[in-house]
């Protein structure tokens, strides 16, 4: 098949894919090649797709049935074709894109892997497509929303098109709103106020999850995150959905707010949609800033994450080492306290040299606190210690050895 633009054949995972030859669309160094090409393909998101393969395989093994999947914003089809090709137990993948050229390329890619029987390609608006599958027995086991920017415009129709017990995966690349650079845009899209804190990526995941839970609740659907992460310039969540008013009520119990002090790094939670909060920081007296409503519940199902890690260990993904390390960090933090402190930020603010993270963590543990690393930041420590105790742990690392022994 011929296309009116230059293409090349690449291999991602174990799947051969024809993609636009990105180099041909870069006219100047500031050009972002994926968005210049007539059909979307971003090689930098390979890890996102690798993890989708691993997460879907883990989910399939957990539920033990054949899966019907949907990728309503498929671009060149690399994700949908990989899911059909690389995940055992997938019966069908419906791919869709509003661009006729993208749909044509996705169809070509499905044929290239001999997957014409296992795939369907549509060319329409994603919400229209999902609405066609909203009736009982037509719904999908897995829906993967991987859009430009925010997934919010597709949440409603995705929730109506996913079956009871199914899995939804959402990518959000609109980090400026979610991380508090454009707070009004975040309130408009996600119904929650962000904060430009050092742990804004965790807050971004929580804003997205709360938005999903709120959208689901109106249909008496509860949501349960099984795997969430941030990487590169996006956040991603995987959540199972369960029908029932009680399930919806239970997931709304995870709604609440984070209060943050920009003077001393103190943070605390206020649970409930209508939580009341104190105005001033209990540690230093400065005004507290509020983020939310957002999801205060767990971001991970630790068993699901461990199964994902096993699948990576025994698999042959090209980016295996990085993915294994990332999931290992996630397993370590899956049941650890809310939010993390970034040691460099604290040292910067108080004019201190930066001690090794491992030493600060060990010091905190010696004082009886939990302290683990987080995949969200290589400089972060996830701990239940108050900000004053974290500062103290840093200071102790900076004292001369003789003083420490006293
Ligand atoms: C970020 S790209 C998808 C990348 C793809 N999921 C992957 O893993 O490579 C977003 C795609 O959504 C398509 N799109 C944008 N608006 C749409 C809509 N309303 N309905 C369907 N597709 C749409 C664009 O044409 C584009 O191909
Ligand atoms: Zn304070």
């Amino acid at each position: 098949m011929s296309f009116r633009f230059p293409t090349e054949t690449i291999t991602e995972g174990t799947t051969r894919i024809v993609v636009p030859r990105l180099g041909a669309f870069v006219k100047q160094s500031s050009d972002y090649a994926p968005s210049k090409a007539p059909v979307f393909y971003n090689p930098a998101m390979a890890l996102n797709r690798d993890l989708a393969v691993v997460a879907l395989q883990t989910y399939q093994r957990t539920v033990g049935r054949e899966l019907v999947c949907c990728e309503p914003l498929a671009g060149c089809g690399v994700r949908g074709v990989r899911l059909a090709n690389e995940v055992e137990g997938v019966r069908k993948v419906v791919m869709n894109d509003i661009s006729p050229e993208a749909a044509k390329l996705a169809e070509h890619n499905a044929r290239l892997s001999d997957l014409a029987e296992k795939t369907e390609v549509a060319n329409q608006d994603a919400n229209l497509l999902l609405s066609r599958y909203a009736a009982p027995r037509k719904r999908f086991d897995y829906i993967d929303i991987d859009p430009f920017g925010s997934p919010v415009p597709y949440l409603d129709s995705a929730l109506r098109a996913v079956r009871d017990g199914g899995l939804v995966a959402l990518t959000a690349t609109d980090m400026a709103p979610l991380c508090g650079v454009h707070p009004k845009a975040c309130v408009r899209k996600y119904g929650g106020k962000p904060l430009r804190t050092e742990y804004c990526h965790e807050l971004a995941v929580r804003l997205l999850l709360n938005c999903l839970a709120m959208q689901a609740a109106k249909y008496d659907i509860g949501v349960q995150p099984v795997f969430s992460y941030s990487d590169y310039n996006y956040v991603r969540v995987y959540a199972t959905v369960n029908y029932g008013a009680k399930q919806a009520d239970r997931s709304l119990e995870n709604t609440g707010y984070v209060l943050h002090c920009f003077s001393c790094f103190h943070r605390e939670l206020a649970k409930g949609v209508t939580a009341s909060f104190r105005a001033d920081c209990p540690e230093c007296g400065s005004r507290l800033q509020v983020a939310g409503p957002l999801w205060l519940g767990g971001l991970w199902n630790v068993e699901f994450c461990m199964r994902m890690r096993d699948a990576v260990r025994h698999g042959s993904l090209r980016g295996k080492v990085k993915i294994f390390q990332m999931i290992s960090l996630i397993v370590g933090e899956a049941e650890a306290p809310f939010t993390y402190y970034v040691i460099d930020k604290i040292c910067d603010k108080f004019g201190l040299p930066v001690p090794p993270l491992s030493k600060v963590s060990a010091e905190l543990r010696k004082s009886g606190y939990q302290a683990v690393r987080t995949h969200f930041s290589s400089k972060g420590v996830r701990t239940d210690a108050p900000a004053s105790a974290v500062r103290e742990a840093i200071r102790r690392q900076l004292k001369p050895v003789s003083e420490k022994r006293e």
Side-chain angles (χ1 to χ4, degrees):
M1 187 180 278
S2 67
F3 295 92
R4 64 161 185 93
F5 51 89
T7 59
E8 63 183 328
T9 306
I10 54 117
T11 302
E12 204 184 274
T14 55
T15 307
R16 267 163 37 90
I17 301 284
V18 173
V19 299
R21 186 153 52 76
L22 295 180
F25 304 99
V26 178
K27 300 278 178 278
Q28 51 197 44
S29 60
S30 60
D31 282 351
Y32 175 58
S35 58
K36 296 276 167 196
V39 173
F40 190 87
Y41 167 67
N42 187 358
M45 293 296 256
L47 180 135
N48 180 313
R49 293 184 285 269
D50 285 346
L51 279 167
V53 167
V54 175
L56 187 62
Q57 188 66 78
T58 302
Y59 171 74
Q60 192 279 330
R61 288 188 182 137
T62 308
V63 296
R65 60 168 187 265
E66 286 204 314
L67 304 179
V68 181
C69 309
C70 181
E71 201 209 354
L73 302 118
C76 67
V78 56
R79 181 181 302 263
V81 174
R82 284 193 62 187
L83 296 178
N85 193 35
E86 297 175 33
V87 180
E88 284 166 26
V90 165
R91 177 144 53 88
K92 178 151 261 175
V93 177
V94 175
M95 291 179 278
N96 173 70
D97 202 285
I98 202 159
S99 145
E101 278 179 305
K104 190 172 148 196
L105 188 51
E107 196 160 7
H108 176 76
N109 279 323
R111 289 222 181 91
L112 190 67
S113 287
D114 223 1
L115 291 166
E117 302 276 288
K118 228 180 174 184
T119 53
E120 250 175 63
V121 180
N123 170 217
Q124 58 187 262
D125 176 73
N127 283 321
L128 270 179
L129 175 99
L130 288 167
S131 296
R132 277 177 38 217
Y133 288 88
R137 292 181 212 291
K138 284 189 130 191
R139 295 182 184 133
F140 295 109
D141 297 280
Y142 174 70
I143 300 179
D144 195 322
I145 307 281
D146 181 61
F148 294 136
S150 173
V152 172
Y154 310 103
L155 289 190
D156 191 86
S157 50
L159 284 161
R160 287 188 294 114
V162 66
R163 67 175 276 180
D164 190 9
L167 181 68
V168 289
L170 312 173
T171 308
T173 62
D174 54 337
M175 296 313 288
L178 280 167
C179 279
V181 179
H182 302 307
K184 284 185 183 167
C186 188
V187 173
R188 281 200 308 275
K189 283 257 182 270
Y190 294 89
K193 185 175 162 296
L195 268 190
R196 224 172 151 177
T197 61
E198 62 279 17
Y199 52 93
C200 65
H201 291 95
E202 178 176 340
L203 295 183
V205 167
R206 294 181 180 281
L207 284 158
L208 173 57
L209 276 170
N210 192 64
C211 181
L212 177 70
M214 288 289 188
Q215 297 263 4
K218 68 187 179 199
Y219 295 116
D220 285 348
I221 294 175
V223 303
Q224 201 51 57
V226 292
F227 187 69
S228 317
Y229 70 95
S230 84
D231 183 47
Y232 179 47
N233 62 349
Y234 69 93
V235 291
R236 174 105 163 143
V237 303
Y238 291 83
T240 51
V241 306
N242 291 289
Y243 286 17
K246 278 201 182 122
Q247 306 276 2
D249 288 343
R250 210 167 296 147
S251 67
L252 291 189
E253 282 167 16
N254 293 293
T255 288
Y257 300 82
V258 176
L259 310 184
H260 180 84
C261 174
F262 280 95
S263 300
C264 76
F265 299 95
H266 169 84
R267 66 286 306 262
E268 63 188 53
L269 310 182
K271 289 191 176 172
V273 184
T274 56
S276 55
F277 6 89
R278 61 171 126 210
D280 298 328
C281 174
E283 293 196 60
C284 77
S286 302
R287 201 96 185 134
L288 287 170
Q289 301 295 321
V290 182
L294 40 71
W295 178 269
L296 297 183
L299 303 182
W300 302 280
N301 175 313
V302 71
E303 278 171 25
F304 190 89
C305 298
M306 286 197 286
R307 274 184 252 131
M308 279 181 70
R309 187 172 58 175
D310 284 347
V312 173
R313 197 199 317 258
H314 298 121
S316 57
L317 286 171
R318 204 178 297 167
K320 180 171 168 159
V321 174
K322 182 177 173 187
I323 294 177
F324 186 82
Q325 282 168 350
M326 181 193 210
I327 303 180
S328 295
L329 282 173
I330 285 174
V331 167
E333 67 179 315
E335 291 176 339
F338 195 104
T339 80
Y340 52 92
Y341 295 87
V342 175
I343 302 307
D344 296 39
K345 276 282 253 190
I346 299 177
C347 292
D348 194 35
K349 174 114 185 172
F350 296 105
L352 302 169
V354 183
L357 181 68
S358 55
K359 292 203 166 161
V360 177
S361 298
E363 189 71 44
L364 287 168
R365 284 194 290 269
K366 222 163 64 186
S367 306
Y369 297 109
Q370 263 182 281
V372 295
R373 290 180 62 198
T374 171
H375 86 283
F376 281 114
S377 164
S378 58
K379 307 280 170 59
V381 54
R382 194 178 276 287
T383 177
D384 52 350
S388 54
V390 178
R391 276 200 313 276
E392 186 50 34
I394 293 171
R395 286 219 169 87
R396 280 212 205 108
Q397 292 317 305
L398 304 174
K399 285 185 186 159
V401 177
S402 57
E403 211 180 311
K404 263 204 233 171
R405 284 209 198 98
E406 283 163 16

